[in-house]
Amino acid sequence: MTATDGAEAHRRVCEAPGCRLAGDYRAPRARDRLNEYRWFCLAHVREYNSKWDYFAGLDADQIEAHIRADTTWRRPVWPLGGRRSNGPHVHIIDPFDLARHAGLEERYQAPNDGWEQLTPDERKALGVLDLSWPLTQADVKSRYKELVKLHHPDANGGAREAEERIKQINAAYSTLRASERLPVE
């Protein structure tokens, strides 16, 4: 805090009509302008806050949508199981064979299907494309097309992040296409 900030804070007067006390307490102006403030004395900020309704002017459906969006911090989400994979538990490495003892052997695919033979670059490429081993060249091509449509800069308003992501996707696809470990179907 600089000296001018301190001086400005002391010059603020409560915004309540007729009040001449120092306006040391801030309150948001509106729901859509939460970073803009009104300044009040302690008594008036308490009064303002007790009367202020964040959801004023919204119907029940809009309030529900707002609350639902806040439960995920307004971040994109997918339904459980909605992201692409080649089956349940494929990504689990189980060196002690615990899945069989837990009764999951029919849903569990053992990691001895060639995963260990993949190079670190191939494993990284699988992670970039969000794929699980084992898979075929057709699986890789299908996932590549899906991701290119989703992350293409033209589809994302020329966003720099989309451009970087598409570069990663292209590099991963090239790595897996060149792999001799993926069967062609």
Side-chain angles (χ1 to χ4, degrees):
M1 185 163 150
T2 64
T4 57
D5 290 338
E8 182 181 321
H10 291 298
R11 283 186 266 151
R12 280 195 201 108
V13 178
C14 178
E15 291 184 31
C19 184
R20 303 302 314 151
L21 295 175
D24 294 333
Y25 301 94
R26 66 185 188 182
R29 288 204 176 274
R31 177 181 61 247
D32 57 344
R33 298 184 313 178
L34 292 175
N35 292 328
E36 296 176 23
Y37 306 105
R38 299 185 65 189
W39 294 89
F40 297 104
C41 65
L42 182 59
H44 287 117
V45 78
R46 286 180 176 163
E47 179 184 342
Y48 179 85
N49 287 339
S50 69
K51 293 178 182 175
W52 194 63
D53 183 5
Y54 180 85
F55 295 109
L58 297 180
D59 64 19
D61 291 336
Q62 291 172 318
I63 293 171
E64 181 67 24
H66 191 82
I67 292 170
R68 294 237 179 243
D70 280 347
T71 60
T72 58
W73 300 281
R74 302 196 176 274
R75 308 281 291 175
V77 294
W78 297 267
L80 186 62
R83 302 220 43 198
R84 182 179 168 89
S85 71
N86 289 335
H89 310 291
V90 173
H91 61 283
I92 297 174
I93 296 173
D94 187 11
F96 300 111
D97 202 22
L98 297 174
R100 184 172 54 87
H101 297 295
L104 300 173
E105 67 274 1
E106 68 281 349
R107 296 187 314 175
Y108 176 76
Q109 187 168 356
N112 63 357
D113 50 14
W115 170 262
E116 295 85 8
Q117 296 175 2
L118 294 177
T119 67
D121 287 339
E122 290 169 339
R123 290 180 187 179
K124 182 179 177 185
L126 287 175
V128 169
L129 296 179
D130 195 24
L131 289 171
S132 300
W133 187 261
L135 64 150
T136 64
Q137 289 282 355
D139 296 331
V140 173
K141 186 174 184 178
S142 171
R143 181 63 176 162
Y144 171 74
K145 287 181 177 182
E146 189 179 314
L147 288 174
V148 166
K149 287 178 186 176
L150 183 66
H151 295 287
H152 196 279
D154 292 345
N156 290 289
R160 174 61 76 185
E161 299 85 31
E163 193 174 313
E164 293 302 317
R165 180 74 173 128
I166 204 79
K167 287 178 186 178
Q168 294 172 350
I169 291 167
N170 286 334
Y173 180 64
S174 296
T175 300
L176 291 176
R177 253 185 87 197
S179 173
E180 296 175 2
R181 293 167 186 80
L182 293 178
V184 179
E185 276 190 6

